[in-house]
Amino acid sequence: MKINPGNPLLPLRAVVLHKTRETENTFSLKLSLPDTRPVTFQPGQFNMLGIPGIGEAALSFSSLPIGKRSFVHTIRLAGNVTEALSRVSKGDRVHVRGPFGNGWPVQQAKGKNVVIVAGGIGMAPLRPVVYYLLQNRKSFGKLLLLYGVRSEEDILYRDELEDWLKSGEIKVLLSMDEKPRKGILGARQGVVTTLLDAIDVPLADTVTFTCGPEIMMRFVARQLIIRGQGGNRIFVSLERRMKCGTAHCGHCQIGAKYVCKDGPVFAYADIKRFADTLL
Amino acid sequence: MKDAQGEGYLLARDDLFDWTDTLLRDFAVQGPVLKKKGQTVFERIDDPSSLQLDYCSTMLAPRNFIYPQRQEFLHIQRSSGQTRVVTPAPAARNILFAIHPCDMHAITVLDRIFSRDSWDFSYNKARHETITVVLNCAKACDQGFCSSMGTGPFLKIKDGYDVEITPVDRAYVMEFGSRRGRDLIRKAANLRRITGADLSQKKRVEKKAEASFTKFLDTKGLPELLARTLNHSVYKVTADTRCLNCTNCTMVCPTCYCYNTEDLTRFDLKQVERKRHWDSCQELNFARVHGGNFRSSREARLRQFVTHKLCTWVEQYGCVGCIGCGRCMTWCPTGIDLTEMAKEIQRDWSPAEKR
């Protein structure tokens, strides 16, 4: 969108249109920027959401643009800012800067199969990818969503997962650390890599998008490489401490890369050469 | 805008102080001043005689006049949520006077960081309003290795500065890198155009200065070497036995740019000042996120400092992040020397062992 093309450190005020409780510690805010030009952004990009007096946090979009001015962030309680954000209610205002980052390279996946591997809150930045793929269904081959959660209570967007499953447009598989009750989206017990066996498309012709704990992405990427996928076709979305979003504050650097500017989405082959990652 | 021959001027040594006096009328002149215990610092002068022009590098680089240690950049009215950008408004325009070429070079490195990918308002406003007067060095600093880094002892850049001064025999060669630099020089009385003889004298001073270095770093192939030796034991050994995590190296480094932000709510609870202050990759929590810390070990933090300055900076900005001023090793309580660490890695990878 370039919410604020002039000074990227100057936030705009967004109004909270809707607040949804997703799980015990996760909620979604539907926000709207009433007085700006139409909002545009790519799946995988992020905003800095702020509460004056508390600070700002980097949060991915968990929706595509809704109408001309609205979007959703799904937020897990993790610190001061997210805690303050959890206390806002409909009609309140929050500060927004963005969008920042590069987003998922969905164009590169055109004509190919797409495997999406999500872990926990990592489902949030991948949801707009699923929306995009389903909206442009004909441009892609087979679609798979592998989603790992700790327990039944931690499943995000359960209604939507069921709808996607029913639609038959995308294969949805769920793994759970706890032993799942019968009939919950056909969930299996285990970590998300146990679902990789279910990939029934040739990996040479597939693009993978994964987001979750970094250690999870390590095992997902390595398993896929062993199974024949190129490291340049596996895309990971990384989380780092961020203060600016403009490649100035220095916190998010991994080797020569700024997660806020060059990422947060990286080709696995391009980022694993650096130190200080779990990849 | 580097002057063609004859475009520069010559100013007698004694007249430099009169010139500085003239500048004091219109500008806030921040120059090197000798303090107790023999340390030179940059501070605002009100008398040219307090200038200490023959000085080794200061503890803090002049970067803090452009990129202050702490500054408010946003002011928020809490009740209405209205925001106002706060940019520095100096009462009089700053002249950074008699800064060394390495420090000038460092400012142009910061320029790349704060204006290339996105525009930092506070930095660029202060940078634009600050006039830079560079004093070429007639001899090497104790810990300086700027000749190895291509940043000294004489100015190596073609633009980005305003005035370049070179001490020659009983006079100064005055050249300019910008129009406002030329106008500044022309405020001096008793100027005369430089001649070919003056320029060859300047060249002789430069040669002599270059010959005075005792510290060197061979930078050829160094970024590539450091990129493939990330697990070299020098990081762990140095970190475990000597690094105190004090962050001095990053506070005195003239190219360090990392910052942290904080919101300060005033006591009336109506206004919030959003401030930023220099941060350091040597801080334990620098790379901490919810649930973990990506650089929890000192080894990782020290490697970040060394490899960022000498290796990854090149990929990011097309130049090395080290300008060879020697401050990080001078002010390290245990004398950790960046060049020694690089040399140890270079020794272990002598040509025979290289792939």
PDB file of all heavy atoms in Angstrom, chain B residues 150-183:
ATOM      1  N   GLY B 150      41.362   2.144   2.914  1.00  0.00           N
ATOM      2  CA  GLY B 150      41.066   3.094   1.841  1.00  0.00           C
ATOM      3  C   GLY B 150      40.266   4.300   2.309  1.00  0.00           C
ATOM      4  O   GLY B 150      39.490   4.877   1.556  1.00  0.00           O
ATOM      5  N   THR B 151      40.425   4.674   3.575  1.00  0.00           N
ATOM      6  CA  THR B 151      39.647   5.803   4.113  1.00  0.00           C
ATOM      7  C   THR B 151      40.552   6.911   4.652  1.00  0.00           C
ATOM      8  O   THR B 151      40.070   7.864   5.246  1.00  0.00           O
ATOM      9  CB  THR B 151      38.731   5.325   5.255  1.00  0.00           C
ATOM     10  OG1 THR B 151      39.567   4.789   6.296  1.00  0.00           O
ATOM     11  CG2 THR B 151      37.790   4.245   4.787  1.00  0.00           C
ATOM     12  N   GLY B 152      41.848   6.777   4.502  1.00  0.00           N
ATOM     13  CA  GLY B 152      42.763   7.777   5.028  1.00  0.00           C
ATOM     14  C   GLY B 152      44.172   7.434   4.599  1.00  0.00           C
ATOM     15  O   GLY B 152      44.371   6.493   3.845  1.00  0.00           O
ATOM     16  N   PRO B 153      45.166   8.179   5.070  1.00  0.00           N
ATOM     17  CA  PRO B 153      45.107   9.318   5.999  1.00  0.00           C
ATOM     18  C   PRO B 153      44.604  10.604   5.348  1.00  0.00           C
ATOM     19  O   PRO B 153      44.288  11.542   6.054  1.00  0.00           O
ATOM     20  CB  PRO B 153      46.567   9.474   6.436  1.00  0.00           C
ATOM     21  CG  PRO B 153      47.360   8.967   5.271  1.00  0.00           C
ATOM     22  CD  PRO B 153      46.557   7.850   4.684  1.00  0.00           C
ATOM     23  N   PHE B 154      44.541  10.610   3.997  1.00  0.00           N
ATOM     24  CA  PHE B 154      43.952  11.751   3.293  1.00  0.00           C
ATOM     25  C   PHE B 154      42.586  11.340   2.759  1.00  0.00           C
ATOM     26  O   PHE B 154      42.311  10.159   2.562  1.00  0.00           O
ATOM     27  CB  PHE B 154      44.860  12.189   2.136  1.00  0.00           C
ATOM     28  CG  PHE B 154      45.947  13.157   2.553  1.00  0.00           C
ATOM     29  CD1 PHE B 154      46.594  13.014   3.771  1.00  0.00           C
ATOM     30  CD2 PHE B 154      46.301  14.201   1.710  1.00  0.00           C
ATOM     31  CE1 PHE B 154      47.591  13.899   4.146  1.00  0.00           C
ATOM     32  CE2 PHE B 154      47.298  15.098   2.090  1.00  0.00           C
ATOM     33  CZ  PHE B 154      47.945  14.951   3.303  1.00  0.00           C
ATOM     34  N   LEU B 155      41.761  12.347   2.533  1.00  0.00           N
ATOM     35  CA  LEU B 155      40.410  12.107   2.047  1.00  0.00           C
ATOM     36  C   LEU B 155      40.439  11.332   0.728  1.00  0.00           C
ATOM     37  O   LEU B 155      41.143  11.717  -0.199  1.00  0.00           O
ATOM     38  CB  LEU B 155      39.710  13.455   1.855  1.00  0.00           C
ATOM     39  CG  LEU B 155      38.187  13.477   1.850  1.00  0.00           C
ATOM     40  CD1 LEU B 155      37.632  12.905   3.141  1.00  0.00           C
ATOM     41  CD2 LEU B 155      37.695  14.885   1.634  1.00  0.00           C
ATOM     42  N   LYS B 156      39.674  10.254   0.668  1.00  0.00           N
ATOM     43  CA  LYS B 156      39.661   9.449  -0.553  1.00  0.00           C
ATOM     44  C   LYS B 156      38.348   9.592  -1.324  1.00  0.00           C
ATOM     45  O   LYS B 156      38.223   9.087  -2.430  1.00  0.00           O
ATOM     46  CB  LYS B 156      39.861   7.965  -0.195  1.00  0.00           C
ATOM     47  CG  LYS B 156      41.199   7.655   0.464  1.00  0.00           C
ATOM     48  CD  LYS B 156      42.338   7.627  -0.554  1.00  0.00           C
ATOM     49  CE  LYS B 156      43.575   6.961   0.020  1.00  0.00           C
ATOM     50  NZ  LYS B 156      44.275   7.836   0.993  1.00  0.00           N
ATOM     51  N   ILE B 157      37.350  10.211  -0.698  1.00  0.00           N
ATOM     52  CA  ILE B 157      36.053  10.315  -1.372  1.00  0.00           C
ATOM     53  C   ILE B 157      35.981  11.583  -2.199  1.00  0.00           C
ATOM     54  O   ILE B 157      36.676  12.559  -1.939  1.00  0.00           O
ATOM     55  CB  ILE B 157      34.884  10.269  -0.362  1.00  0.00           C
ATOM     56  CG1 ILE B 157      35.166  11.184   0.821  1.00  0.00           C
ATOM     57  CG2 ILE B 157      34.632   8.851   0.086  1.00  0.00           C
ATOM     58  CD1 ILE B 157      34.050  11.254   1.814  1.00  0.00           C
ATOM     59  N   LYS B 158      35.118  11.538  -3.218  1.00  0.00           N
ATOM     60  CA  LYS B 158      35.029  12.656  -4.161  1.00  0.00           C
ATOM     61  C   LYS B 158      33.913  13.629  -3.787  1.00  0.00           C
ATOM     62  O   LYS B 158      33.938  14.782  -4.185  1.00  0.00           O
ATOM     63  CB  LYS B 158      34.771  12.130  -5.575  1.00  0.00           C
ATOM     64  CG  LYS B 158      35.886  11.229  -6.097  1.00  0.00           C
ATOM     65  CD  LYS B 158      36.939  12.046  -6.826  1.00  0.00           C
ATOM     66  CE  LYS B 158      37.992  11.164  -7.450  1.00  0.00           C
ATOM     67  NZ  LYS B 158      38.906  10.577  -6.447  1.00  0.00           N
ATOM     68  N   ASP B 159      32.888  13.135  -3.100  1.00  0.00           N
ATOM     69  CA  ASP B 159      31.840  14.070  -2.680  1.00  0.00           C
ATOM     70  C   ASP B 159      31.233  13.624  -1.348  1.00  0.00           C
ATOM     71  O   ASP B 159      31.622  12.610  -0.805  1.00  0.00           O
ATOM     72  CB  ASP B 159      30.756  14.221  -3.760  1.00  0.00           C
ATOM     73  CG  ASP B 159      30.292  12.870  -4.262  1.00  0.00           C
ATOM     74  OD1 ASP B 159      30.329  11.908  -3.484  1.00  0.00           O
ATOM     75  OD2 ASP B 159      29.888  12.792  -5.434  1.00  0.00           O
ATOM     76  N   GLY B 160      30.294  14.428  -0.874  1.00  0.00           N
ATOM     77  CA  GLY B 160      29.701  14.133   0.418  1.00  0.00           C
ATOM     78  C   GLY B 160      30.282  14.972   1.537  1.00  0.00           C
ATOM     79  O   GLY B 160      29.772  14.981   2.641  1.00  0.00           O
ATOM     80  N   TYR B 161      31.376  15.682   1.233  1.00  0.00           N
ATOM     81  CA  TYR B 161      31.981  16.558   2.243  1.00  0.00           C
ATOM     82  C   TYR B 161      31.952  17.989   1.705  1.00  0.00           C
ATOM     83  O   TYR B 161      31.636  18.209   0.542  1.00  0.00           O
ATOM     84  CB  TYR B 161      33.421  16.129   2.534  1.00  0.00           C
ATOM     85  CG  TYR B 161      34.353  16.340   1.360  1.00  0.00           C
ATOM     86  CD1 TYR B 161      35.150  17.473   1.280  1.00  0.00           C
ATOM     87  CD2 TYR B 161      34.401  15.418   0.323  1.00  0.00           C
ATOM     88  CE1 TYR B 161      35.980  17.691   0.192  1.00  0.00           C
ATOM     89  CE2 TYR B 161      35.223  15.639  -0.777  1.00  0.00           C
ATOM     90  CZ  TYR B 161      36.011  16.766  -0.834  1.00  0.00           C
ATOM     91  OH  TYR B 161      36.806  16.982  -1.916  1.00  0.00           O
ATOM     92  N   ASP B 162      32.292  18.951   2.560  1.00  0.00           N
ATOM     93  CA  ASP B 162      32.250  20.340   2.108  1.00  0.00           C
ATOM     94  C   ASP B 162      33.643  20.946   1.916  1.00  0.00           C
ATOM     95  O   ASP B 162      33.932  21.499   0.880  1.00  0.00           O
ATOM     96  CB  ASP B 162      31.419  21.171   3.091  1.00  0.00           C
ATOM     97  CG  ASP B 162      29.967  20.729   3.087  1.00  0.00           C
ATOM     98  OD1 ASP B 162      29.356  20.751   2.008  1.00  0.00           O
ATOM     99  OD2 ASP B 162      29.462  20.326   4.140  1.00  0.00           O
ATOM    100  N   VAL B 163      34.465  20.827   2.950  1.00  0.00           N
ATOM    101  CA  VAL B 163      35.800  21.434   2.857  1.00  0.00           C
ATOM    102  C   VAL B 163      36.849  20.390   3.211  1.00  0.00           C
ATOM    103  O   VAL B 163      36.626  19.551   4.094  1.00  0.00           O
ATOM    104  CB  VAL B 163      35.929  22.650   3.809  1.00  0.00           C
ATOM    105  CG1 VAL B 163      37.333  23.239   3.755  1.00  0.00           C
ATOM    106  CG2 VAL B 163      34.896  23.712   3.476  1.00  0.00           C
ATOM    107  N   GLU B 164      37.973  20.439   2.505  1.00  0.00           N
ATOM    108  CA  GLU B 164      39.098  19.551   2.809  1.00  0.00           C
ATOM    109  C   GLU B 164      40.315  20.430   3.087  1.00  0.00           C
ATOM    110  O   GLU B 164      40.711  21.241   2.246  1.00  0.00           O
ATOM    111  CB  GLU B 164      39.369  18.624   1.612  1.00  0.00           C
ATOM    112  CG  GLU B 164      40.612  17.758   1.784  1.00  0.00           C
ATOM    113  CD  GLU B 164      40.967  17.004   0.502  1.00  0.00           C
ATOM    114  OE1 GLU B 164      40.273  17.196  -0.517  1.00  0.00           O
ATOM    115  OE2 GLU B 164      41.937  16.243   0.526  1.00  0.00           O
ATOM    116  N   ILE B 165      40.886  20.269   4.272  1.00  0.00           N
ATOM    117  CA  ILE B 165      42.046  21.084   4.662  1.00  0.00           C
ATOM    118  C   ILE B 165      43.255  20.168   4.803  1.00  0.00           C
ATOM    119  O   ILE B 165      43.155  19.087   5.377  1.00  0.00           O
ATOM    120  CB  ILE B 165      41.788  21.791   6.016  1.00  0.00           C
ATOM    121  CG1 ILE B 165      40.546  22.667   5.935  1.00  0.00           C
ATOM    122  CG2 ILE B 165      42.994  22.605   6.429  1.00  0.00           C
ATOM    123  CD1 ILE B 165      40.221  23.375   7.233  1.00  0.00           C
ATOM    124  N   THR B 166      44.383  20.601   4.255  1.00  0.00           N
ATOM    125  CA  THR B 166      45.607  19.818   4.400  1.00  0.00           C
ATOM    126  C   THR B 166      46.696  20.692   5.008  1.00  0.00           C
ATOM    127  O   THR B 166      46.975  21.778   4.478  1.00  0.00           O
ATOM    128  CB  THR B 166      46.084  19.312   3.031  1.00  0.00           C
ATOM    129  OG1 THR B 166      44.998  18.698   2.353  1.00  0.00           O
ATOM    130  CG2 THR B 166      47.216  18.299   3.201  1.00  0.00           C
ATOM    131  N   PRO B 167      47.292  20.245   6.106  1.00  0.00           N
ATOM    132  CA  PRO B 167      48.384  21.050   6.671  1.00  0.00           C
ATOM    133  C   PRO B 167      49.649  20.875   5.831  1.00  0.00           C
ATOM    134  O   PRO B 167      50.094  19.747   5.599  1.00  0.00           O
ATOM    135  CB  PRO B 167      48.557  20.443   8.079  1.00  0.00           C
ATOM    136  CG  PRO B 167      48.036  19.046   7.970  1.00  0.00           C
ATOM    137  CD  PRO B 167      47.019  19.029   6.878  1.00  0.00           C
ATOM    138  N   VAL B 168      50.159  21.976   5.327  1.00  0.00           N
ATOM    139  CA  VAL B 168      51.448  21.947   4.642  1.00  0.00           C
ATOM    140  C   VAL B 168      52.360  22.905   5.403  1.00  0.00           C
ATOM    141  O   VAL B 168      51.993  23.400   6.467  1.00  0.00           O
ATOM    142  CB  VAL B 168      51.314  22.327   3.145  1.00  0.00           C
ATOM    143  CG1 VAL B 168      50.550  21.261   2.385  1.00  0.00           C
ATOM    144  CG2 VAL B 168      50.659  23.688   2.981  1.00  0.00           C
ATOM    145  N   ASP B 169      53.503  23.177   4.864  1.00  0.00           N
ATOM    146  CA  ASP B 169      54.481  24.009   5.564  1.00  0.00           C
ATOM    147  C   ASP B 169      53.916  25.399   5.888  1.00  0.00           C
ATOM    148  O   ASP B 169      53.679  26.200   4.991  1.00  0.00           O
ATOM    149  CB  ASP B 169      55.741  24.112   4.692  1.00  0.00           C
ATOM    150  CG  ASP B 169      56.858  24.815   5.435  1.00  0.00           C
ATOM    151  OD1 ASP B 169      56.870  24.723   6.688  1.00  0.00           O
ATOM    152  OD2 ASP B 169      57.689  25.448   4.768  1.00  0.00           O
ATOM    153  N   ARG B 170      53.681  25.699   7.131  1.00  0.00           N
ATOM    154  CA  ARG B 170      53.212  27.001   7.628  1.00  0.00           C
ATOM    155  C   ARG B 170      51.908  27.485   6.967  1.00  0.00           C
ATOM    156  O   ARG B 170      51.616  28.675   6.947  1.00  0.00           O
ATOM    157  CB  ARG B 170      54.302  28.070   7.449  1.00  0.00           C
ATOM    158  CG  ARG B 170      55.446  27.923   8.450  1.00  0.00           C
ATOM    159  CD  ARG B 170      56.323  29.164   8.456  1.00  0.00           C
ATOM    160  NE  ARG B 170      57.030  29.396   7.219  1.00  0.00           N
ATOM    161  CZ  ARG B 170      58.200  28.807   6.909  1.00  0.00           C
ATOM    162  NH1 ARG B 170      58.763  27.992   7.757  1.00  0.00           N
ATOM    163  NH2 ARG B 170      58.780  29.049   5.769  1.00  0.00           N
ATOM    164  N   ALA B 171      51.177  26.570   6.390  1.00  0.00           N
ATOM    165  CA  ALA B 171      49.923  26.977   5.742  1.00  0.00           C
ATOM    166  C   ALA B 171      48.998  25.775   5.635  1.00  0.00           C
ATOM    167  O   ALA B 171      49.358  24.650   5.991  1.00  0.00           O
ATOM    168  CB  ALA B 171      50.217  27.547   4.359  1.00  0.00           C
ATOM    169  N   TYR B 172      47.779  26.071   5.160  1.00  0.00           N
ATOM    170  CA  TYR B 172      46.825  24.998   4.896  1.00  0.00           C
ATOM    171  C   TYR B 172      46.378  25.076   3.451  1.00  0.00           C
ATOM    172  O   TYR B 172      46.063  26.175   2.959  1.00  0.00           O
ATOM    173  CB  TYR B 172      45.596  25.127   5.792  1.00  0.00           C
ATOM    174  CG  TYR B 172      45.871  24.825   7.252  1.00  0.00           C
ATOM    175  CD1 TYR B 172      46.083  25.853   8.163  1.00  0.00           C
ATOM    176  CD2 TYR B 172      45.914  23.507   7.713  1.00  0.00           C
ATOM    177  CE1 TYR B 172      46.328  25.581   9.498  1.00  0.00           C
ATOM    178  CE2 TYR B 172      46.158  23.233   9.042  1.00  0.00           C
ATOM    179  CZ  TYR B 172      46.360  24.269   9.931  1.00  0.00           C
ATOM    180  OH  TYR B 172      46.613  23.998  11.233  1.00  0.00           O
ATOM    181  N   VAL B 173      46.347  23.931   2.790  1.00  0.00           N
ATOM    182  CA  VAL B 173      45.715  23.875   1.476  1.00  0.00           C
ATOM    183  C   VAL B 173      44.228  23.678   1.723  1.00  0.00           C
ATOM    184  O   VAL B 173      43.829  22.767   2.443  1.00  0.00           O
ATOM    185  CB  VAL B 173      46.288  22.723   0.628  1.00  0.00           C
ATOM    186  CG1 VAL B 173      45.455  22.511  -0.626  1.00  0.00           C
ATOM    187  CG2 VAL B 173      47.739  22.991   0.272  1.00  0.00           C
ATOM    188  N   MET B 174      43.418  24.586   1.179  1.00  0.00           N
ATOM    189  CA  MET B 174      41.966  24.542   1.394  1.00  0.00           C
ATOM    190  C   MET B 174      41.280  24.179   0.087  1.00  0.00           C
ATOM    191  O   MET B 174      41.335  24.938  -0.872  1.00  0.00           O
ATOM    192  CB  MET B 174      41.464  25.921   1.841  1.00  0.00           C
ATOM    193  CG  MET B 174      42.340  26.608   2.882  1.00  0.00           C
ATOM    194  SD  MET B 174      41.915  26.122   4.537  1.00  0.00           S
ATOM    195  CE  MET B 174      40.397  27.016   4.769  1.00  0.00           C
ATOM    196  N   GLU B 175      40.623  23.012   0.076  1.00  0.00           N
ATOM    197  CA  GLU B 175      39.875  22.623  -1.120  1.00  0.00           C
ATOM    198  C   GLU B 175      38.437  22.374  -0.729  1.00  0.00           C
ATOM    199  O   GLU B 175      38.126  22.259   0.447  1.00  0.00           O
ATOM    200  CB  GLU B 175      40.516  21.376  -1.743  1.00  0.00           C
ATOM    201  CG  GLU B 175      41.888  21.672  -2.335  1.00  0.00           C
ATOM    202  CD  GLU B 175      42.735  20.424  -2.518  1.00  0.00           C
ATOM    203  OE1 GLU B 175      43.180  19.860  -1.498  1.00  0.00           O
ATOM    204  OE2 GLU B 175      42.934  20.027  -3.658  1.00  0.00           O
ATOM    205  N   PHE B 176      37.581  22.285  -1.751  1.00  0.00           N
ATOM    206  CA  PHE B 176      36.167  22.134  -1.392  1.00  0.00           C
ATOM    207  C   PHE B 176      35.537  20.978  -2.151  1.00  0.00           C
ATOM    208  O   PHE B 176      35.966  20.623  -3.244  1.00  0.00           O
ATOM    209  CB  PHE B 176      35.393  23.429  -1.643  1.00  0.00           C
ATOM    210  CG  PHE B 176      35.574  24.009  -3.001  1.00  0.00           C
ATOM    211  CD1 PHE B 176      34.775  23.602  -4.053  1.00  0.00           C
ATOM    212  CD2 PHE B 176      36.569  24.963  -3.243  1.00  0.00           C
ATOM    213  CE1 PHE B 176      34.941  24.126  -5.317  1.00  0.00           C
ATOM    214  CE2 PHE B 176      36.739  25.492  -4.509  1.00  0.00           C
ATOM    215  CZ  PHE B 176      35.938  25.076  -5.552  1.00  0.00           C
ATOM    216  N   GLY B 177      34.508  20.384  -1.553  1.00  0.00           N
ATOM    217  CA  GLY B 177      33.793  19.275  -2.185  1.00  0.00           C
ATOM    218  C   GLY B 177      32.376  19.656  -2.520  1.00  0.00           C
ATOM    219  O   GLY B 177      31.599  18.824  -2.988  1.00  0.00           O
ATOM    220  N   SER B 178      32.010  20.898  -2.246  1.00  0.00           N
ATOM    221  CA  SER B 178      30.649  21.342  -2.530  1.00  0.00           C
ATOM    222  C   SER B 178      30.652  22.858  -2.684  1.00  0.00           C
ATOM    223  O   SER B 178      31.608  23.529  -2.304  1.00  0.00           O
ATOM    224  CB  SER B 178      29.703  20.968  -1.383  1.00  0.00           C
ATOM    225  OG  SER B 178      30.004  21.766  -0.249  1.00  0.00           O
ATOM    226  N   ARG B 179      29.552  23.353  -3.228  1.00  0.00           N
ATOM    227  CA  ARG B 179      29.441  24.798  -3.410  1.00  0.00           C
ATOM    228  C   ARG B 179      29.462  25.512  -2.056  1.00  0.00           C
ATOM    229  O   ARG B 179      30.106  26.531  -1.891  1.00  0.00           O
ATOM    230  CB  ARG B 179      28.130  25.095  -4.141  1.00  0.00           C
ATOM    231  CG  ARG B 179      27.998  26.506  -4.656  1.00  0.00           C
ATOM    232  CD  ARG B 179      26.920  26.548  -5.679  1.00  0.00           C
ATOM    233  NE  ARG B 179      27.234  25.589  -6.762  1.00  0.00           N
ATOM    234  CZ  ARG B 179      27.293  25.931  -8.034  1.00  0.00           C
ATOM    235  NH1 ARG B 179      27.087  27.168  -8.381  1.00  0.00           N
ATOM    236  NH2 ARG B 179      27.568  25.039  -8.958  1.00  0.00           N
ATOM    237  N   ARG B 180      28.732  24.923  -1.095  1.00  0.00           N
ATOM    238  CA  ARG B 180      28.699  25.624   0.192  1.00  0.00           C
ATOM    239  C   ARG B 180      30.061  25.563   0.871  1.00  0.00           C
ATOM    240  O   ARG B 180      30.428  26.444   1.641  1.00  0.00           O
ATOM    241  CB  ARG B 180      27.573  25.102   1.083  1.00  0.00           C
ATOM    242  CG  ARG B 180      27.776  23.742   1.678  1.00  0.00           C
ATOM    243  CD  ARG B 180      26.585  23.365   2.554  1.00  0.00           C
ATOM    244  NE  ARG B 180      26.783  22.008   3.067  1.00  0.00           N
ATOM    245  CZ  ARG B 180      25.890  21.336   3.759  1.00  0.00           C
ATOM    246  NH1 ARG B 180      24.720  21.878   4.035  1.00  0.00           N
ATOM    247  NH2 ARG B 180      26.137  20.119   4.180  1.00  0.00           N
ATOM    248  N   GLY B 181      30.836  24.517   0.524  1.00  0.00           N
ATOM    249  CA  GLY B 181      32.192  24.441   1.037  1.00  0.00           C
ATOM    250  C   GLY B 181      33.048  25.554   0.457  1.00  0.00           C
ATOM    251  O   GLY B 181      33.828  26.193   1.159  1.00  0.00           O
ATOM    252  N   ARG B 182      32.844  25.814  -0.828  1.00  0.00           N
ATOM    253  CA  ARG B 182      33.611  26.882  -1.473  1.00  0.00           C
ATOM    254  C   ARG B 182      33.247  28.239  -0.856  1.00  0.00           C
ATOM    255  O   ARG B 182      34.115  29.049  -0.530  1.00  0.00           O
ATOM    256  CB  ARG B 182      33.304  26.905  -2.975  1.00  0.00           C
ATOM    257  CG  ARG B 182      34.163  27.880  -3.749  1.00  0.00           C
ATOM    258  CD  ARG B 182      33.684  28.011  -5.176  1.00  0.00           C
ATOM    259  NE  ARG B 182      32.308  28.536  -5.204  1.00  0.00           N
ATOM    260  CZ  ARG B 182      31.550  28.570  -6.286  1.00  0.00           C
ATOM    261  NH1 ARG B 182      31.989  28.080  -7.422  1.00  0.00           N
ATOM    262  NH2 ARG B 182      30.338  29.071  -6.240  1.00  0.00           N
ATOM    263  N   ASP B 183      31.945  28.431  -0.650  1.00  0.00           N
ATOM    264  CA  ASP B 183      31.512  29.700  -0.047  1.00  0.00           C
ATOM    265  C   ASP B 183      32.097  29.858   1.351  1.00  0.00           C
ATOM    266  O   ASP B 183      32.433  30.966   1.771  1.00  0.00           O
ATOM    267  CB  ASP B 183      29.984  29.759   0.016  1.00  0.00           C
ATOM    268  CG  ASP B 183      29.373  29.784  -1.377  1.00  0.00           C
ATOM    269  OD1 ASP B 183      30.134  30.057  -2.334  1.00  0.00           O
ATOM    270  OD2 ASP B 183      28.163  29.504  -1.494  1.00  0.00           O
TER     271      ASP B 183
END
